[in-house]
Amino acid sequence: MARKERAASQTEGAAPDDGFDAKAYLQQGSWRDMDLGLDRTRALLAALGNPQDAYPIVHVAGTNGKGSTSAFIAGILQAAGYDTGLFTSPFILRFNERIQVNRVDISDGELDEVARAVRDAAASIDVHPTAFELITAVALEHFRRRGCDAVVLEVGLGGRLDATNVVVPAACAITSIAFDHMRILGDTLAQIAAEKAGIVKPGVPVVSYRQAPEAQAVIEDACRAAGSVLVFPRFGRIHVRQEGFSQVFSYDGIADVRLSLLGTYQPCNAVMAIEVARVLRTRGLAISDDAIKRGLETTRWPGRFELVAASPTTIVDGGHNEQGAAMLASSLRAYFPHRTVTFVAGMLKDKRYRDMVALVAPLAAKVYCVEPPEPERALPAADLAQEFVRAGVADTVACASIADGVHRARAEASPDDVVCCFGSLYSISEVMEALGSSRRDA
């Protein structure tokens, strides 16, 4: 499972002084303890009074782009006047950001209160839920307590047996499908797509990314069997122009949308959200084209080709699989066609890291290799450095820590160079902390 985070309690809603630590309770166990299935979550939510039935839900699955797409959908709903819950994973900077209402993190006081209710409900069922099942229940119960009008729910892993798949949504979205988590989801795109398409429910409309043929066929079959309308965005109708460090796009009657999110792939994620909004109109939600545009333009989402510092230009990107590395390389070529790129790279050993290295190596002038803060899964920095050397990047260094890699990369790059930190979402908080210390020391 993802790294753990403990934060000092905020003053609001002070918790009883009985030793209960909500974040420790909701992050218990190891990632190896994963046990997919729906029965425990159904029982837990039933004990809570089925909070998931209190609001319409958009359920979002996929390999890449599901976080950004979820954020775009939530932004559109909020711009349309709906109090909107958003549940995502993993967190980037702090645990609380996984559960948001109108893009505001759940407070520590609220988290403690809802986690206690979930703990009590869990004690009443026969089998104790997993950590992800507990946090899913906390999110759904929090959204009910806050009176949310709509909720965007991102799948944690796969879809078919993911804890979020107990809901009956108003709409489903399936973003780009690629090779990832193959030990659990399967080693072919068709097998992985079958897990993602497991979120399809009878009669519930689905918006899907244009997939590789073998994956798309699976999704089409699942929708046909469920009697679900299937919508594919018409990516050929996207018209994009870059204006400095922003991009402006038009799509099918919605013109000149200025995204704050960089990355050549983000207009496609935004168009996924547009099509979801149009589906939601058919389900009774009032969403104007103006709300769609405002929602997209005001969406912020950290760690996705994010410009975080200047002199040298520094990008942080959570690309953590082969497709993510390909999209990162495409974005670097588009935004910095004549700039030298220094990478700070850290990857997990259960990913296709050799393929990721091969995709970015042609752009690399120098690479500082680090280890993500995932002890059981991190690829040693020295092993990653050897892979970059094999890929033709002779100037490669294994660093003692993420902070060491970030500091050295920025110190040794010229002001006109680009520093790109990538390879794992789990590294981003330490990258940002290191960047903060660099700016304070400057």
Side-chain angles (χ1 to χ4, degrees):
M1 59 176 292
R3 72 202 185 284
K4 296 178 173 61
E5 187 255 6
R6 297 169 66 104
S9 291
Q10 298 171 356
T11 55
E12 34 60 34
D17 187 17
D18 60 0
F20 177 69
D21 185 327
K23 292 177 184 177
Y25 176 70
L26 297 171
Q27 299 176 95
Q28 57 190 279
S30 161
W31 73 277
R32 294 184 184 277
D33 298 333
M34 185 183 305
D35 183 13
L36 297 176
L38 304 181
D39 291 344
R40 291 180 302 270
T41 307
R42 288 194 179 108
L44 178 59
L45 292 176
L48 289 165
N50 289 313
Q52 74 278 12
D53 296 337
Y55 34 70
I57 293 172
V58 179
H59 202 191
V60 184
T63 305
N64 291 309
K66 61 180 177 173
S68 298
T69 299
S70 296
F72 279 133
I73 296 168
I76 289 171
L77 286 166
Q78 187 178 348
Y82 295 103
D83 288 330
T84 304
L86 175 63
F87 177 56
T88 60
S89 60
F91 66 89
I92 301 299
L93 300 178
R94 65 190 295 257
F95 182 83
N96 304 53
E97 73 194 43
R98 297 182 63 179
I99 304 172
Q100 301 179 356
V101 175
N102 294 337
R103 298 312 307 272
V104 176
D105 299 350
I106 187 172
S107 69
D108 282 348
E110 290 170 318
L111 183 65
D112 180 88
E113 180 181 351
V114 182
R116 289 171 183 272
V118 169
R119 176 195 60 182
D120 294 344
S124 72
I125 64 177
D126 292 336
V127 182
H128 197 272
T130 66
F132 185 74
E133 291 163 354
L134 292 169
I135 186 60
T136 299
V138 167
L140 295 170
E141 174 65 9
H142 177 62
F143 298 148
R144 178 172 65 176
R145 294 184 180 204
R146 288 292 303 272
C148 286
D149 302 311
V151 165
V152 182
L153 198 65
E154 180 189 353
V155 166
L157 178 64
R160 181 176 63 92
L161 296 176
D162 186 76
T164 62
N165 202 30
V166 297
V167 305
V168 179
C172 294
I174 301 176
T175 65
S176 181
I177 293 175
F179 290 105
D180 206 3
H181 299 294
M182 291 178 290
R183 182 180 64 85
I184 299 167
L185 303 181
D187 57 7
T188 70
L189 284 181
Q191 290 173 324
I192 295 170
E195 295 298 319
K196 308 293 184 183
I199 70 168
V200 175
K201 303 294 190 304
V204 175
V206 177
V207 177
S208 174
Y209 212 89
R210 287 283 180 185
Q211 312 288 353
E214 59 269 41
Q216 187 156 312
V218 171
I219 294 170
E220 290 173 344
D221 287 347
C223 290
R224 190 178 302 112
S228 299
V229 173
L230 176 58
V231 176
F232 291 109
R234 291 161 288 188
F235 292 139
R237 296 191 180 184
I238 302 175
H239 302 283
V240 183
R241 68 179 186 272
Q242 290 184 4
E243 295 184 0
F245 283 114
S246 67
Q247 52 189 333
V248 181
F249 81 94
S250 299
Y251 172 76
D252 201 23
I254 298 178
D256 298 325
V257 180
R258 185 177 297 275
L259 295 180
S260 65
L261 299 186
L262 304 178
T264 55
Y265 49 87
Q266 290 297 2
C268 291
N269 292 331
V271 165
M272 283 284 296
I274 290 173
E275 294 294 356
V276 169
R278 289 173 169 170
V279 164
L280 291 174
R281 286 174 180 168
T282 71
R283 309 288 279 182
L285 279 73
I287 304 172
S288 67
D289 283 356
D290 179 66
I292 290 174
K293 182 175 181 179
R294 285 187 290 110
L296 295 176
E297 291 185 334
T298 55
T299 295
R300 307 287 185 271
W301 198 236
R304 278 71 172 182
F305 205 78
E306 182 182 9
L307 176 63
V308 294
S311 297
T313 298
T314 304
I315 299 289
V316 173
D317 187 81
H320 56 280
N321 53 37
E322 183 180 2
Q323 189 181 71
M327 291 188 290
L328 171 62
S330 173
S331 296
L332 287 168
R333 289 188 175 98
Y335 282 93
F336 310 108
H338 307 296
R339 303 273 286 276
T340 298
V341 180
T342 296
F343 287 100
V344 180
M347 302 180 189
L348 301 180
K349 60 188 176 183
D350 55 5
K351 305 292 183 179
R352 289 187 166 187
Y353 58 86
R354 292 186 179 90
D355 294 327
M356 294 171 65
V357 168
L359 285 162
V360 301
L363 300 174
K366 187 167 187 173
V367 182
Y368 294 88
C369 295
V370 301
E371 292 183 24
E374 282 286 282
E376 297 177 88
R377 301 173 66 194
L379 180 68
D383 292 353
L384 182 58
Q386 289 180 355
E387 294 299 330
F388 272 102
V389 171
R390 290 190 187 103
V393 187
D395 201 352
T396 301
V397 180
C399 298
S401 66
I402 290 174
D404 179 43
V406 172
H407 292 154
R408 292 176 67 178
R410 284 180 51 80
E412 296 177 23
S414 73
D416 293 330
D417 288 346
V418 176
V419 173
C420 179
C421 308
F422 90 106
S424 171
L425 286 166
Y426 301 134
S427 300
I428 292 176
S429 61
E430 291 192 24
V431 169
M432 298 301 289
E433 184 177 345
L435 287 168
S437 65
S438 292
R439 287 192 283 265
R440 288 192 297 270
D441 296 341

